[in-house]
Structures are given as structure tokens and as C-alpha cells.
Amino acid sequence: MAFDYDKYLRPGKLPHIWCPGCGHGIAMKGLIRAIDACGLEKNNTAIVSGIGCASRLPGYVDFNTLHTAHGRAAAFATGVKMAKPEMNVIVVGGDGDGTAIGGNHFIHACRRNIDMTYVIFNNSIYGMTGGQFSPCTPTGAKASTTVYGNPDPTFDISKLAIGAGATFVARTTAFHATQIDKLIAEGIKHKGMAVIEVLDDCPTTYGRRNKFRSVVDMMKRLKDIAVPVAAASKMTAEQLEGKVLTGVLYKEEKPEYTQQYAKVIAKAQGA
Amino acid sequence: MSSPRVEVIERYCKGCSICVEFCPTKVLEMDAFLVKVAKPEACIACMQCELRCPDFAIKVFKD
Ligand SMILES: Cc1ncc(C[n+]2csc(CCOP(=O)(O)OP(=O)(O)O)c2C)c(N)n1
Ligand code: SF4
Ligand code: SF4
Ligand code: SF4
Ligand SMILES: [Mg+2]
């Protein structure tokens, strides 16, 4: 049966602004299905973003939403969670927003293990501003600012999140649509900082510069590079060359930040 | 059982052709930058098109 997205969308906002074939739309639908599967109440859920194409998402969905400053989504979300620890806090945004200008906020939210779900839409580029390279642009790839090919090494967002202290880290792609909602739902249920990296496509500013003939070609590439973690353990380093691992990459239980902070408040009040 | 119903919301469809490419039974076709349900009877309600449409533009109803 067709899924009823309308129940979670603000009326009259479609069609959205994203370009034909932009993976952000696929990821947004996955997020909505995950919220539905977890039964989150609209009034008790906040969706927070920074700036970028991905960060336009909160404008479309009918929850408590904040569209904030570039790179600052995790900081605003931390504020919401500290003020209202019972609220479900979900952050959405792009690779540029989360790992370039917002890299610091991102790693420190991970380090604190604050209970939020951060869905990062990694299309390897600054889509909104015309295709400048981001820390996630592959080495050698073309961007408007790397016309001779990108000389920089690339951030692996999931590894960055694990290294910084996030206690649930998962990755999927826009091709693997049903996995998007499963992993986000798992992240929502996890008590602590959950990071879900969705590899997606920006046909407009990345695809056309990097010899993808179509959106479909970009989707096929996402299909080809993804290797589920379980399958990867049986593969050689050679076979894994150029692939990315998908599924739950890391999970542990650790003290959560708002709960730790509640103890500080209790102490300060002489309890 | 009747075959599933595939509905395209034309004002949302941006003609990316993702649904056409990944439909396993070739139900869908591109027609002047919009999707056309060319072979409705071949639909197996696998939902591949609906799940991957970035634009909320295609819906599959089973009964
Ligand atoms: C302080 C500040 N610096 C720069 C910008 C310009 N800017 C807007 S969006 C963006 C990058 C967005 O890239 P990403 O987060 O990857 O999102 P995408 O558009 O790819 O979805 C930049 C640099 C800004 N809005 N504010
Ligand atoms: S510029 Fe890229 S990221 Fe932005 S809406 Fe278009 S395809 Fe999506
Ligand atoms: S539900 Fe499956 S078979 Fe039917 S049109 Fe969509 S992709 Fe094709
Ligand atoms: S995937 Fe959606 S937007 Fe793209 S052609 Fe099909 S119905 Fe249209
Ligand atoms: Mg981006």
C-alpha cells in the first residue's frame, strides 16, 4: 500500500525545490517513514538544520522545526535537547554543513553523546552554492573550486563520528531506500548520539562535472559501491577497494549527556 | 485479485526517470519528461518506484 507521507508534510509545500533526481528527496522520505515507524509525536519532535540544499528539509515537514545558521545545527539541537530532554531531537544537513563549517559542532555533539539523531546527507559537494568542494569530495574529483581535480584527502564521516564518540553510527545510500528508514529508526531508538550517513547524489553540481551521464548513473554507482558490513568481513582488501561499508557500523551503550547533566544540576541544588 | 494501481502525480514529477530505470517489469516509460504508466497490468507492487522517487510523485496501491 502506498505510504501516506501527507500526514507528515506541511500542506501546499510540494513540489520541493530540489533538482530532478536529487537524492535529498529520497532521504527525506526515508526519514519520514522512520519517524512513522517509531511512532514519534509531532509535538514532541524537533527537526533542526543548518544551511544548504539538504538543510531545506525542515521547511517541508510538519514538526517543531528550526532552520538555523550554516554549520550550527548541532549547536541549536543541543540547546533544544538541554532545555527539553524529553523531546526527540533530529538533525538533518549536508556534508558541507556538518563537516566543513560545522565540523566542530558535529564532533563535539558526538563526544558528548547527547541523545539526538543526526542524519547527514552526503552528496560529496556544496550543492546549494554551485558545487564547491567539501571535505567529503573524493580525491581527484572535479568541483567548481577544484577544476584540475581535488588534491585533498576525503573525510569518512562515519569514521569521524565513531572517532569523536558517537555511540550509534550507520551508513546507507539513496539507492538503498528501505535501509534508510530502518537505520534512522534504529538511530532514533538509540539512547545517545546517533549518526546516520546517507550517501546521495547531486546531479546538478557534482554529476555533470564528474562524467555521470544521468541521475540513473549516479544511483547505479551508489548501488555498486555499497557493501553490507557482514559481507565485507568475507572480502579481501582488494575486493573492497573503492567500496563503502553500509549498515550499522558501530553501536555501544554509554552515559548520555542530558542524564549526566541532570546530575550536575542535582548536585548544584544540594541534592 | 486485480492488478495494483500505479498513480503518477504529474505536477510533482520532475522527470528524473529513476522510477522507470528501476522498475523490474518495465511498467513505466518516459513521455515528454514525465512518467507514463505504460503497462499497468505488469505491475507486481514491488514499490521500487515509489520508494526511490525523490519527489513524492508516484504511488502504488495494492488493492
Ligand atoms: C556562514 C556562511 N558561510 C557560507 C554560506 C554559503 N553556503 C550556503 S550552503 C553552503 C554549503 C552547503 O553544502 P552542504 O551542506 O553539503 O549541502 P548541500 O547543498 O550539498 O545539500 C554554503 C557554503 C552560508 N550560507 N553561511
Ligand atoms: S543543487 Fe544538488 S543538492 Fe541542491 S537540490 Fe540540486 S541536485 Fe540537490
Ligand atoms: S511497484 Fe514495482 S512493478 Fe509496479 S510500477 Fe513500481 S517498480 Fe514497477
Ligand atoms: S522517480 Fe518520481 S520524479 Fe522521477 S520520473 Fe519517476 S515519478 Fe517522476
Ligand atoms: Mg552537500
Side-chain angles (χ1 to χ4, degrees), chain A residues 24 51-54 70 94-97 101 123 125-129:
Chain A
H24 294 349
I51 298 291
C53 292
H70 194 26
D95 49 310
D97 188 73
I101 190 168
N123 58 8
I125 200 89
Y126 289 0
M128 176 163 268
T129 43

Side-chain angles (χ1 to χ4, degrees), chain B residues 1-58:
Chain B
M1 203 183 85
S2 61
S3 60
R5 184 164 59 84
V6 185
E7 187 184 311
V8 176
I9 303 163
E10 290 197 0
R11 67 183 192 286
Y12 295 168
C13 175
K14 293 177 186 161
C16 69
S17 82
I18 289 175
C19 59
V20 175
E21 176 66 28
F22 297 109
C23 170
T25 56
K26 305 287 164 226
V27 171
L28 309 164
E29 266 175 23
M30 290 311 292
D31 180 21
F33 303 106
L34 284 180
V35 166
K36 190 174 81 182
V37 186
K39 281 197 289 169
E41 67 287 351
C43 178
I44 54 169
C46 67
M47 300 303 198
Q48 298 296 312
C49 56
E50 182 182 311
L51 282 163
R52 294 205 186 90
C53 170
D55 283 279
F56 301 88
I58 190 159

